[in-house]
Amino acid sequence: MSNATLTGSRGAVAALLARILPAVRTILWFVATIALTFLGLLAITFVIGRVVPIDPVLAVVGDRAPKEVYDAVRQQMGLDDPLPIQFARYVGDVLQGDLGKAVMTSNPVIEDLARVFPATFEMATLGIIIGVVIGVPLGVWAAARQGSVIDQIIRVIGLAGYAIPAFWLGLVGLVLFYAKLQWVGGPGRIDIFLDGLVTPHTGLLLVDSLIDGDMDSFRSAFAHIILPATILGFFALAYIARMTRSFMLEQLGQEFITTARVKGAPEWVVIWRHAFRPIRVQLITVIGLSYAGLLEGSVMIETVFSWPGIGNYLTNALLNADMNAVLGATLVIGAVFICINKLSDALYLLLDPRARA
């Protein structure tokens, strides 16, 4: 092999490494931040389990158990060990998928969460779709018509989303749309006579009923989910519309927007192509936080609608002093926040060339 060929090969390898190494460093940093954040989440849940004035031993043996039974169970649970050892054991158990056993159901907490989380995920996903599909155009419309009656109405809707309690809106919705008008289904995920007929392929009742081709179950499930999902979507809509309006007003005041209008560009092109495109990255954060908030903050809605999701599960666990279930649900909710935030960071790279640079 000639020196020129060898030099060219080395140059090609060096160029390839120069392109690959930044991507490898980014991936490693991405993984490291997720791991450190998750470790911090584990530390927080561990501390919560130790500072909450609930004795996990009493939750297992009851308050009438003899002292020797209490001491034996406490030692069996490892609560006599030093806190660093307890935390290390806790981290090891979580990494193996062991979140303990729930006192309420006598099932492993991980199995309970796998059963209830799809219900919350399904309702929150439909809610965020409603919030984005309606909220983003409303925010753009309000900004484009700043100061008009339409703008004032949309701003009032946004304020209502902050002011109206979720449980009150849920109760009013049930009384009006279920009891009076009978437009929607009542509490629960599906009619009682159809419960258990759908094979749980994914845990998402709408999807599973379509997979089975059971349209009766699909219509029943949709009738039950549409009202709580719409209420969740209203709260997401209010936040998304308000933030979209704020972002758009900032863009519409820029010089390049005035230049586009002077050049005779149609108004819809000015709004959607020139003003809206730069705010997409900002909206990713807003939508991601809204989605995580719906997954985490649906406790009241699930309680009102008897929705068998993670929020209802967490409430019952708190009422029954079931700390394994409480910590497991808290850990899952925190992990969802982490995943959604990191997914938002990944989407930045796709939509913003400056982030890739």
Side-chain angles (χ1 to χ4, degrees):
M1 182 180 296
S2 64
N3 292 334
T5 304
L6 185 59
T7 302
S9 299
R10 290 176 177 174
V13 172
L16 181 62
L17 289 176
R19 296 181 60 183
I20 292 178
L21 287 179
V24 172
R25 284 197 297 267
T26 302
I27 294 173
L28 291 177
W29 175 252
F30 191 77
V31 173
T33 53
I34 291 178
L36 290 175
T37 307
F38 188 71
L39 183 62
L41 176 62
L42 288 175
I44 293 173
T45 55
F46 176 79
V47 171
I48 291 175
R50 296 304 181 272
V51 300
V52 170
I54 296 176
D55 193 338
V57 180
L58 289 181
V60 175
V61 302
D63 54 1
R64 296 185 178 181
K67 186 178 184 304
E68 56 272 15
V69 175
Y70 177 91
D71 292 339
V73 173
R74 181 178 177 82
Q75 185 176 7
Q76 183 181 2
M77 296 175 67
L79 297 177
D80 290 334
D81 296 332
L83 287 179
I85 296 178
Q86 292 185 41
F87 179 67
R89 186 188 303 115
Y90 175 66
V91 173
D93 290 341
V94 170
L95 293 178
Q96 296 176 24
D98 183 7
L99 299 178
K101 182 174 288 187
V103 177
M104 297 183 299
T105 62
S106 298
N107 296 327
V109 173
I110 192 68
E111 292 183 4
D112 286 343
L113 294 176
R115 173 175 51 83
V116 300
F117 182 75
T120 299
F121 177 77
E122 186 174 40
M123 181 172 63
T125 300
L126 185 56
I128 197 63
I129 291 173
I130 294 172
V132 172
V133 170
I134 301 178
V136 171
L138 283 182
V140 173
W141 193 10
R145 301 290 185 268
Q146 183 184 9
S148 66
V149 176
I150 293 297
D151 182 27
Q152 299 300 327
I153 293 175
I154 294 174
R155 292 176 68 183
V156 170
I157 292 174
L159 291 175
Y162 285 92
I164 299 177
F167 73 90
W168 182 86
L169 194 59
L171 291 174
V172 171
L174 278 175
V175 171
L176 179 60
F177 296 106
Y178 170 60
K180 297 292 185 182
L181 300 177
Q182 297 184 352
W183 288 357
V184 299
R189 294 185 74 186
I190 197 170
D191 291 332
I192 296 177
F193 58 87
L194 294 173
D195 190 18
L197 297 182
V198 177
T199 305
H201 301 285
T202 63
L204 308 178
L205 203 51
L206 292 176
V207 176
D208 292 342
S209 59
L210 288 177
I211 293 175
D212 286 352
D214 189 346
M215 297 308 299
D216 290 334
S217 295
F218 176 82
R219 284 190 289 267
S220 176
F222 183 80
H224 282 75
I225 197 176
I226 188 62
L227 181 58
T230 300
I231 293 175
L232 283 181
F234 169 72
F235 293 109
L237 176 156
Y239 178 60
I240 292 172
R242 182 180 180 186
M243 298 306 297
T244 302
R245 178 183 181 276
S246 177
F247 296 151
M248 284 293 296
L249 287 176
E250 182 181 356
Q251 291 298 317
L252 290 173
Q254 300 295 323
E255 293 183 359
F256 69 90
I257 297 296
T258 304
T259 302
R261 284 173 172 161
V262 169
K263 289 182 176 180
E267 188 64 16
W268 70 269
V269 173
V270 172
I271 292 174
W272 289 103
R273 181 174 299 176
H274 296 288
F276 180 74
R277 290 182 67 179
I279 72 169
R280 292 180 302 171
V281 174
Q282 295 169 290
L283 282 180
I284 288 175
T285 301
V286 171
I287 294 171
L289 292 176
S290 298
Y291 189 28
L294 295 186
L295 287 170
E296 177 267 338
S298 60
V299 175
M300 288 297 179
I301 295 298
E302 291 188 4
T303 301
V304 171
F305 287 89
S306 298
W307 195 260
I310 194 170
N312 204 355
Y313 180 79
L314 178 58
T315 302
N316 292 330
L318 286 169
L319 293 176
N320 288 276
D322 190 348
M323 288 308 300
N324 283 338
V326 170
L327 295 179
T330 304
L331 192 63
V332 169
I333 292 171
V336 167
F337 266 93
I338 293 173
C339 292
I340 290 178
N341 286 331
K342 294 308 176 184
L343 179 61
S344 299
D345 292 341
L347 289 176
Y348 290 164
L349 301 177
L350 297 177
L351 296 179
D352 192 352
R354 293 171 298 179
R356 290 195 296 269

